Amino acid sequence: MTLWGARLAWLAVALLGGRAVGDAVADRSDAVQVVATVGAWVAWGAGAVALAVTGLVTLTAARAIVPGAIVVAGVTAVAGAPASSVLALAVPAIVASVLLAAGDTGSVYVQSSAYGDERRFPLKPPLGYLTATVLSWAVWVAAVLTAPLAWAARAWVLAVIATVVAIAASWLFPRRWHRLTRRWLVAVPAGLVVHDHVVLAETLMVPRVRITRVTLVGRRRDTGAFDMTGPTPGVALGIVLDEMTTATLAPTPATPRGTAIHLSAFLVAPTRPGAALREAARRRLPVE
């Protein structure tokens, strides 16, 4: 439902919000008007494809493109577009972005690439990594919007700077954003798998015979379990084992080969912890 809501809201961006772009550039040169109009339709089409085709790459693409319409709405407001046309663009753009960020939407995309009898549950992003992602996305959006308009307006210095930044950002940042998409807890017949190359250097496989308890953990996480959430706030899933196992944390500048740790309990933070707990129960894992 959240995915279809995002799709319908994105359709409304084109049907209701397109006027804002036209109003914003109505007094500009013909070149600026053409570039703005073509660019808006290209961006909307790319977002439509990303919303229509579910997969890991398209989830990253959709979450990069769709919120950009909110930025465009702000730019049209600054450029002098009437409040009514700005709202007609901003409101469905915000709705589409919020629904696209929902855990249910992410689950549909992630599960579409699952293999065999496995159920994937996306993990909440670590706050530090999320902050860096938002900042890098803001730089990318600003450069991508500015570069073609600056060329059309013959603002050569700004055009060159924005183009260089846009190319560099488009090369460097999407791979980092995609790492957030490729984070999930997986329920398989053999047990549970933590696939998270932001926190871990290697995928952690936990055999079902080793699992003694799977439970929800609230905001207070003084359980003694290793916090593998990033960290990120909110409800987490606690997994307790009957013996020690080894996990390798992701490399850092101080530890380029990662850090091996031994643990008998750990926490992960699925975007839908209740659904993950129900799936564990369905697979007859010891749930409390």
Side-chain angles (χ1 to χ4, degrees), residues 26-224:
D27 297 331
R28 285 6 183 230
S29 66
D30 291 343
V32 171
Q33 292 182 37
V34 170
V35 168
T37 302
V38 172
W41 279 110
V42 168
W44 183 87
V49 171
L51 285 167
V53 182
T54 56
L56 299 180
V57 173
T58 52
L59 177 58
T60 301
R63 287 179 169 172
I65 295 169
V66 170
I70 302 175
V71 178
V72 172
V75 172
T76 60
V78 173
S84 58
S85 61
V86 172
L87 288 175
L89 172 59
V91 171
I94 292 171
V95 171
S97 300
V98 170
L99 292 177
L100 187 57
D104 285 334
T105 303
S107 295
V108 174
Y109 276 85
V110 168
Q111 187 61 29
S112 68
S113 61
Y115 300 98
D117 183 17
E118 69 175 30
R119 179 75 183 278
R120 296 179 177 180
F121 297 92
L123 300 176
K124 298 175 185 175
L127 287 182
Y129 202 97
L130 180 61
T131 301
T133 298
V134 172
L135 292 176
S136 63
W137 174 84
V139 171
W140 174 76
V141 168
V144 168
L145 291 178
T146 301
L149 293 174
W151 284 112
R154 300 185 178 183
W156 308 124
V157 174
L158 178 59
V160 170
I161 294 173
T163 300
V164 170
V165 173
I167 293 173
S170 298
W171 174 257
L172 295 174
F173 294 154
R175 287 178 291 179
R176 293 182 173 273
W177 303 339
H178 195 53
R179 293 178 69 184
L180 289 179
T181 301
R182 295 180 53 81
R183 301 176 64 247
W184 50 70
L185 173 71
V186 191
V188 296
L192 296 174
V193 178
V194 182
H195 184 281
D196 182 1
H197 290 168
V198 172
V199 175
L200 299 174
E202 301 174 355
T203 298
L204 176 63
M205 172 67 191
V206 183
R208 62 182 302 122
V209 295
R210 300 273 75 92
I211 300 173
T212 61
R213 187 168 71 252
V214 182
T215 185
L216 293 179
V217 178
R219 296 180 181 275
R220 296 188 61 183
R221 299 181 179 177
D222 51 355
T223 61

Side-chain angles (χ1 to χ4, degrees), residues 224-272:
F226 181 79
D227 191 342
M228 209 177 286
T229 66
T232 187
V235 176
L237 208 64
I239 301 170
V240 182
L241 313 178
D242 65 355
E243 63 179 20
M244 301 292 285
T245 190
T246 301
T248 305
L249 301 182
T252 66
T255 57
R257 295 185 178 181
T259 304
I261 60 171
H262 302 286
L263 50 84
S264 60
F266 61 91
L267 304 177
V268 291
T271 56
R272 301 176 64 223

